Amino acid sequence: MTSSDSGAGRRFPGGRRPAPSVLGYSGSSGLRSADYRGLSLDVARKPFSADAVVRLIGRLGELGFTALHLHLTETHRVGVRLPGFEELAADDAWNARDVSRIVAAAEAAGIAIVPEIDLPSHAAALLAGREHLQLVDRHGRVHEDRLDISRPEALELALALLEAVTVLFPGDAIHLGGDEFFAAPWEDEDAQHPERFPSLVAHARSLLGPAATAQDSYALFVNSLAARAIELGRTPMLWNDHVVPASAEPLEPISTDVVLDVWIRWREWTPSVTDYLRSGYRVINSHGDQLYAVLSEDGPFEPHGKRRFGLLADTFSPRRFMGLAAEDVHREVPSVPAGTPDPVLGASLSLWCDAPDVMGECELLERLDTWLVPFARIMAVDADL
C-alpha cells in the first residue's frame, strides 16, 4: 500500500512518533499543541480486517498523519463489539482482540484514534431491540434510523454507548456524529416543517420555554453527550450540519467546547465556517467536495484526489473551507498572528463506503494511498509556513 512518492514522512528517534494530543491545547498558553492531520475511515458500512487497518496505521505514521477517525456505526451495521452491547454488532465486527491490535499499532505510530458512535441519526442498527426509541413524525410515521432524543431512555442509551466506546479506545478525543438528523435544504416543505417531530418540540419547550424548537432539543442532547465526554477526559467532536451559530441567538447553543468537523455548507443561507469561528468554535476542515473519497453505486472514487473541480494537490488548502456545496466556491480562513491560539485545528480526509462491495479491501486501500500522499504533503508544507 504505497505510492511512488511518499515524500511527506518524518523520522523520529527509535522509530516511534510522539503520541499526539490532536485536539488539545498546550499548557496555560492556550496554543495548539499539534496539527490535526486526519483520516476518517468508514468501518461501519464496510468491514475492514484488523490486519488491513494495522497496515494502514503504519502508512499514516510514515506520512505524518496524527489521527485516525473510526466511523464505527451506521444505519445498517455496527462495526465493533461494544462492551455491554455485543448483540448489536455485525457478525464480522471487530472483537476486543482486533481493537487491541489496532490501538497498539496506533500508539506505536503516534496516531490518535478518534472513535465515533453516530447519533442521533443513522441509528437503526443501534436501535435493534429498542424500536420504541425510534423517532415518530407528526404524521405518525416511524423513522427507524433516528433516535427520539426527547426521551430520557434515549439519552441514557447514548451516554452508555459513549462510555462503552471509550472503554475500547483510549485517547483524548471522541466524535459524537450528529449529522443528517433534520431535513436537508432541498427536501420538501413537509420535511422542513418546524414541528415535523412533535416530541422534540415538546421536549425543548418543556425545558426552555414556548419559543424553543426541535433544534434546541438536538442541542440539549449534544450538550449532554459533550459534557459526559469531557468528564471522561475526551474532547468532543461533531459534524457541523445542525450547529446554530451565535448570530442566530439559539435558546440552547451547542457548547463551544465541542470541536466542529466542518464538511458541508448546503446553501448560502446556511452557516459557514466564518459563522462558527465568530461563535467561538474550534474547527477541523473535512471539506466534502475536496476531501471525500466515496465508494458509490456509480463506482469507485478516482485516484489522486480527483474530484469535480480538479486534483486534490491543485485545489486543497487546510484553511480553504467549503463555501457552497457542489460549487467551486470557498471560504478562506486567514492565518492567525504568531502566538495567537488558532481555532483551525487541522484537516481530515474521509473514506466513505456507501456501496461497500464496489472495491475489495486491498484494492481500495491502494487507491486511497493516492489521496493520502498529496494530502500529507500539503499538510506538511502548511505546518512549515
Side-chain angles (χ1 to χ4, degrees):
M1 187 173 54
T2 60
S3 288
S4 57
D5 179 10
S6 61
R10 296 185 178 183
R11 299 294 181 186
F12 294 89
R16 284 180 69 121
R17 292 158 43 84
S21 176
V22 290
L23 297 177
Y25 284 74
S26 57
S28 60
S29 67
L31 298 180
R32 191 177 63 194
S33 61
D35 284 345
Y36 189 100
R37 306 180 192 187
L39 170 67
S40 177
L41 187 65
D42 182 1
V43 301
R45 293 182 180 92
K46 187 174 181 67
F48 287 88
S49 69
D51 287 342
V53 175
V54 166
R55 292 193 299 271
L56 174 62
I57 287 169
R59 181 62 171 152
L60 295 178
E62 292 173 359
L63 292 171
F65 280 72
T66 61
L68 176 60
H69 165 192
L70 295 174
H71 183 75
L72 295 166
T73 67
E74 255 299 335
T75 300
H76 301 297
R77 187 174 180 277
V78 176
V80 65
R81 299 186 190 282
L82 294 166
F85 297 95
E86 291 85 356
E87 76 282 359
L88 299 179
D91 291 341
D92 53 359
W94 292 337
N95 58 31
R97 181 175 179 274
D98 295 326
V99 172
S100 294
R101 291 182 59 212
I102 290 166
V103 168
E107 289 177 349
I111 302 293
I113 298 290
V114 181
E116 177 191 352
I117 302 296
D118 195 4
L119 287 171
S121 195
H122 305 293
L126 292 171
L127 294 178
R130 297 175 175 83
E131 287 78 8
H132 62 289
L133 296 180
Q134 294 169 344
L135 187 59
V136 179
D137 68 22
R138 67 195 184 108
H139 303 297
R141 176 175 169 245
V142 176
H143 293 252
E144 297 178 355
D145 65 338
R146 287 177 169 91
L147 178 67
D148 184 352
I149 55 179
S150 72
R151 302 178 61 139
E153 186 182 347
L155 178 58
E156 291 170 7
L157 172 64
L159 291 170
L161 289 166
L162 183 151
E163 292 169 6
V165 80
T166 62
V167 170
L168 283 180
F169 295 96
D172 69 353
I174 190 166
H175 207 296
L176 306 179
D179 62 315
E180 298 177 342
F181 186 58
F182 297 113
W186 61 83
E187 293 188 59
D188 63 26
E189 184 176 342
D190 186 62
Q192 302 284 349
H193 195 286
E195 298 195 12
R196 181 188 189 189
F197 298 118
S199 64
L200 305 189
V201 176
H203 170 241
R205 290 178 178 172
S206 71
L207 295 173
L208 301 173
T213 68
Q215 289 272 4
D216 293 310
S217 179
Y218 172 87
L220 287 163
F221 175 79
V222 168
N223 285 341
S224 294
L225 294 184
R228 184 63 183 128
I230 291 168
E231 289 174 357
L232 293 169
R234 305 294 181 104
T235 298
M237 297 170 60
L238 183 76
W239 298 114
N240 72 288
D241 303 40
H242 307 306
V243 178
V244 180
S247 59
E249 300 182 345
L251 290 178
E252 179 72 14
I254 288 175
S255 169
T256 54
D257 289 330
V258 176
V259 173
L260 301 188
D261 201 348
V262 181
W263 74 281
I264 195 66
R265 187 189 185 208
W266 289 117
R267 296 289 187 268
E268 290 184 359
W269 47 266
T270 56
S272 71
V273 67
T274 305
D275 297 309
Y276 300 135
L277 294 172
R278 287 173 177 167
S279 300
Y281 292 104
R282 293 167 292 162
V283 297
I284 289 170
N285 187 357
S286 290
H287 197 310
D289 278 340
Q290 293 185 343
L291 300 178
Y292 270 31
V294 182
L295 292 184
S296 72
E297 295 294 347
D298 295 329
F301 53 91
E302 295 288 337
H304 307 295
K306 183 179 180 182
R307 293 296 304 266
R308 71 180 77 201
F309 301 117
L311 296 175
L312 189 153
D314 299 328
T315 59
F316 168 64
S317 168
R319 308 185 78 85
R320 181 175 298 142
F321 287 75
M322 181 183 289
L324 199 59
E327 301 284 347
D328 195 12
V329 176
H330 310 284
R331 289 290 181 106
E332 302 279 353
V333 176
S335 297
V336 299
T340 302
D342 191 347
V344 178
L345 301 185
S348 182
L349 282 174
S350 294
L351 173 59
W352 296 106
C353 302
D354 296 6
D357 298 328
V358 165
M359 294 183 83
E361 178 178 271
C362 291
E363 183 185 10
L364 172 57
L365 294 181
E366 290 281 357
R367 177 70 62 88
L368 176 65
D369 197 77
T370 70
W371 287 56
L372 298 178
V373 170
F375 176 84
R377 186 182 299 116
I378 292 167
M379 293 298 290
V381 169
D382 182 75
D384 291 337
L385 294 178

